[in-house]
Amino acid sequence: MTKRLAEVAKKAGVSEATVSRVLNGRDGVSEATRASVLTALDVLGYERPTKLRGERARLVGLVLPELQNPIFPALAEVVTASLAQRGFTPALCARTIGGVPESDYVEMLLDHQVSGVIFAGGSYALADASHEHYRRLTDRGLPVVLVNAGVDELGFPRVSTDDAVAVEQAFGHLRSLGHERIGMVLGPEGHIPSRRKLAAMIQVAGWADDAWVERSSFSMEGARVAATKLIERGATGIICASDVLALGAIRAARRLGRSVPADVSVVGFDDSAFMTCTDPPLTTVRQPIETMGQSAVDILVSQIEEAGVLHDELLFEPELVVRGSTGRAPQ
């Protein structure tokens, strides 16, 4: 017990006597200090005293699909900083291959009495995935915000990049360079943001079908295989659903003996870290991650403080960043 008091006191930045007063429900402790002690208790994995378990901690879960794609650590940096400024402690939950599934993270966060959860790139974005764990959050009345497009029936507030505008910018750029055979490397068929990008491409390019589309898992090797098919089909321009997929497309071109951008131009999506350092530097459509992350926190905190729930999806306009992976179409 003494060791636990010391750990919680150190984590919360208060004395052991203050921790004892909070745990025993005594007066003489400010609400801010009390919240800090309870959050420290939750973060360290200790159970709250029975009489305090009904209260939510000032702890917010941030659930990410991975950390290998640089866009997700960038989002985490924005969200965690914004939460800290609002007096909340972030609990980062990042899934790994063969690791803890999203549904298990949800149960862990519920056990810790979190105040809310922000999801980015989770099962909500896959039409054919199980969404039962999200419904448990709805049943508990827990505030939730989703970053980027997901299935409509969940009903959570969403903060998204406008996929249609992203495709319009990428397609318009390639057409201005003289490309006519433009293909797309997208995520799985059930991936909602990829569906939106395809719908936009059909609109702006006047496609009658998806003959110039190849799908891939969000991996560089998967994208290499997909892009190889497009290049062998004659594509001189490729629009990709992420920067990682775009790097796979560049690798595909090189393995086929083609040059980027002299023979094949490639456009990514995200503008994640180090895309200026690739060879060639990647032309991409930049997601406004900082603005989106701050907006996600604002919407979540409004729900927590019962200031109202925004059910509409907020769409943020992306920005085309032209670098060295795109050039004039080959003659």
Side-chain angles (χ1 to χ4, degrees), residues 33-284:
T33 299
R34 185 169 174 273
S36 294
V37 170
L38 292 176
T39 298
L41 203 70
D42 295 324
V43 170
L44 292 169
Y46 291 125
E47 286 190 10
R48 294 187 180 199
T50 304
K51 58 188 174 185
L52 299 177
R53 287 180 193 169
E55 302 180 22
R56 287 178 179 164
R58 289 185 71 81
L59 192 66
V60 170
L62 173 60
V63 184
L64 305 176
E66 57 168 312
L67 291 177
Q68 290 183 321
N69 185 336
I71 199 66
F72 293 116
L75 176 66
E77 184 177 7
V78 173
V79 169
T80 54
S82 187
L83 285 170
Q85 290 172 358
R86 306 292 288 269
F88 290 88
T89 300
L92 179 62
C93 303
R95 305 201 311 278
T96 57
I97 296 174
V100 178
E102 188 176 72
S103 57
D104 286 359
Y105 274 132
V106 167
E107 290 302 323
M108 291 164 60
L109 292 170
L110 288 173
D111 288 344
H112 280 79
Q113 299 287 331
V114 295
S115 294
V117 185
I118 295 174
F119 291 91
S123 301
Y124 67 87
L126 300 171
D128 51 359
S130 172
H131 302 126
E132 190 58 38
H133 54 289
Y134 299 119
R135 295 187 177 91
R136 288 200 290 276
L137 297 173
T138 302
D139 293 342
R140 296 280 190 96
L142 198 70
V144 172
V145 177
L146 309 179
V147 177
N148 278 328
V151 295
D152 292 330
E153 60 265 24
L154 292 175
F156 295 132
R158 284 175 283 173
V159 173
S160 304
T161 299
D162 194 323
D163 290 303
V165 172
V167 169
E168 290 167 8
Q169 292 177 345
F171 179 77
H173 173 59
L174 291 176
R175 288 292 292 129
S176 72
L177 294 171
H179 293 274
E180 296 182 357
R181 298 187 300 277
I182 301 171
M184 299 187 84
V185 176
L186 300 175
E189 197 282 328
H191 184 244
I192 303 300
S194 291
R195 284 186 178 181
R196 289 187 174 189
K197 289 180 175 70
L198 176 56
M201 189 67 167
I202 289 172
Q203 184 74 26
V204 298
W207 284 356
D209 54 39
D210 59 356
W212 287 97
V213 175
E214 290 294 335
R215 299 187 178 277
S216 166
S217 61
F218 281 94
S219 68
M220 200 177 299
E221 183 58 24
R224 184 194 66 78
V225 173
T228 295
K229 296 176 183 177
L230 291 173
I231 296 169
E232 289 178 337
R233 211 173 295 159
T236 63
I238 300 177
I239 298 171
C240 300
S242 78
D243 289 342
V244 172
L245 296 184
L247 295 180
I250 292 174
R251 179 176 294 180
R254 286 181 172 157
R255 289 197 182 179
L256 291 171
R258 313 294 173 84
S259 174
V260 176
D263 300 313
V264 180
S265 288
V266 178
V267 182
F269 177 79
D270 281 340
D271 195 28
S272 46
F274 310 121
M275 292 305 107
T276 57
C277 305
T278 59
D279 181 24
L282 185 68
T283 294
T284 186

